[in-house]
Amino acid sequence: MAKSLHITRRILLNYEDKGLVHPDVKEGKGGNRYYTTDTVTRIRAIRRLQSLGISLDEIKLYFEDKADLREFIGRLENMRDELDLCIEKLRLRVSEGEEDVIEVREIPAQTVYIRRCSTPTVAHRMEIFRQVIPEAMRLYGSDSSKRMFLLAYPLEDTDDTRFCVAVPQGSRGDGVEQWEQERAVSVFFHGDYTDIPRIREKLLDYARQHGLRPKGTCRHIYLEGPAHHSDANKFITQVAIPIE
């Protein structure tokens, strides 16, 4: 049984101690414990729930029909969102060297903490961001199920920068805004931040050619940067212009 489920005898005994399972024959031939098919199925369910980060105490409540399933669902949905972001990022790494594809995408809703500041250079923006990120986390925490770091600015004044950090949904307070889901002309750009103005113009050209009306702002959604790569040409940034 232990070998077939890739677990140890000690784990099975721990499940017994927790009251999660009971051997159908506690002392069989040779002193072994024996389990029926129903108990095996229950053990498989326990292992699956554990792999999702649910504790044994919570699993026991689940089997006793006493668990808050809505809370479970919320946690698993957040985990799913985080996995989706990780998978997307890995796919983008694999596509490095391929042509950056412009497309219309849905930008998901999220709650962000914002600090507004005029920043004429990339270096200045990076300096300000390193201040804003811990500030947001101290005040409200963070939401790792969303893209965590973003810039936003009006197209008519690209230095008028909003530094944005994803914070938990439901956060309330100074500097917090709720952004609704919206469509945007978007590209996942592989390269140095200093080259993003050229990418922004390409997005505006695409919008004009396809009869799309920009709302007047641009966003930089950071996926991988200095924390991931020493070579700036390997940075990955989603550049997005929301459209009507």
Side-chain angles (χ1 to χ4, degrees), residues 6-24:
H6 307 291
I7 58 177
T8 65
R9 183 175 184 275
R10 179 174 292 181
I11 291 173
L12 286 171
L13 293 177
N14 188 37
Y15 290 168
E16 290 183 22
D17 291 342
K18 288 285 187 180
L20 287 165
V21 297
H22 304 281
D24 301 291

Side-chain angles (χ1 to χ4, degrees), residues 137-161:
M137 295 177 73
R138 281 196 302 269
L139 290 170
Y140 301 103
S142 63
D143 183 357
S144 59
S145 67
K146 300 290 190 297
R147 295 296 179 205
M148 292 188 66
F149 313 129
L150 311 90
L151 284 183
Y153 51 82
L155 290 169
E156 69 272 12
D157 184 1
T158 58
D159 292 343
D160 185 11
T161 311

